[in-house]
Amino acid sequence: MGNNFFGEEKAVILGLGELRVGMCPMGTIGLGSCIALILHDQRRSLGGLAHIMLPESRGNADRPGKFADTATNTLIEEMERLGSTKFAIVAAVVGGASMFEFSANSLNIGERNTTAVRDVLREQGIRIAHEETGGRVGRSVYYWPEGKGRIIVKRADGTCTEL
């Protein structure tokens, strides 16, 4: 069985600022201050994942997956296009670690990313079913949209959790 006992070798791996909607397994590796946002529709076994790097797009639309506001809204739109409705979607938010020591006035991008994602989800009326954010440890996330939507979080310290 080796290290792939979760089946993540079959997952589509998203890089920085990428997003995807579909029914196939997907994941993202090496989240530090970035956020993995997962939207899941259990009725349709459909989901979306975004690897969000920054809190707000400020009108920059070339890579919607890169920013909390555009990534969240794009995932919702693409899922609705495939038949989901907002009230059927729940969210999981993972990442947003503080990877460096911060001075009192420096920007904690992980915390700002987490807050921005929470705000957009609240505005859209989407409930956060799972959240694992903050701390000082990097994470990788794997997500299977079938059924209840299995999510595995692997932490850089070697611990692993199923949400």
Side-chain angles (χ1 to χ4, degrees):
M1 276 169 64
N3 282 335
N4 287 327
F5 59 98
F6 294 122
E8 64 264 31
E9 74 283 354
K10 293 185 205 71
V12 175
I13 300 301
L14 303 187
L16 288 163
E18 294 184 342
L19 58 77
R20 181 181 185 105
V21 168
M23 297 178 166
C24 67
M26 49 190 107
T28 194
I29 295 169
L31 292 165
S33 60
C34 292
I35 296 279
L37 170 62
I38 295 166
L39 296 184
H40 179 69
D41 179 346
Q42 184 171 330
R43 278 184 334 189
R44 297 194 173 267
S45 292
L46 176 69
L49 172 67
H51 185 141
I52 295 167
M53 298 165 66
L54 295 166
E56 63 266 325
S57 61
R58 296 197 177 97
N60 182 343
D62 60 333
R63 285 178 64 202
K66 189 173 174 179
F67 307 100
D69 53 357
T70 51
T72 307
N73 293 328
T74 301
L75 287 180
I76 293 167
E77 285 163 21
E78 290 193 15
M79 288 177 70
E80 286 179 331
R81 199 173 302 127
L82 293 170
S84 284
T85 48
K86 270 199 251 185
F87 69 82
I89 296 172
V90 295
V93 181
V94 179
S98 299
M99 301 307 288
F100 311 100
E101 286 298 325
F102 289 94
S103 63
N105 57 3
S106 75
L107 306 172
N108 183 341
I109 203 75
E111 203 172 286
R112 287 176 56 218
N113 281 340
T114 303
T115 301
V117 169
R118 278 191 202 125
D119 288 348
V120 181
L121 290 169
R122 189 178 323 107
E123 285 161 23
Q124 290 282 8
I126 291 177
R127 181 176 67 86
I128 298 174
H130 304 287
E131 184 174 331
E132 188 192 300
T133 57
R136 296 200 175 275
V137 64
R139 301 170 176 96
S140 296
V141 181
Y142 298 94
Y143 164 58
W144 293 261
E146 311 90 58
K148 288 189 166 71
R150 191 163 165 235
I151 298 169
I152 303 279
V153 178
K154 291 185 169 184
R155 290 177 210 81
D157 62 11
T159 58
C160 206
T161 312
E162 183 162 350
L163 296 183

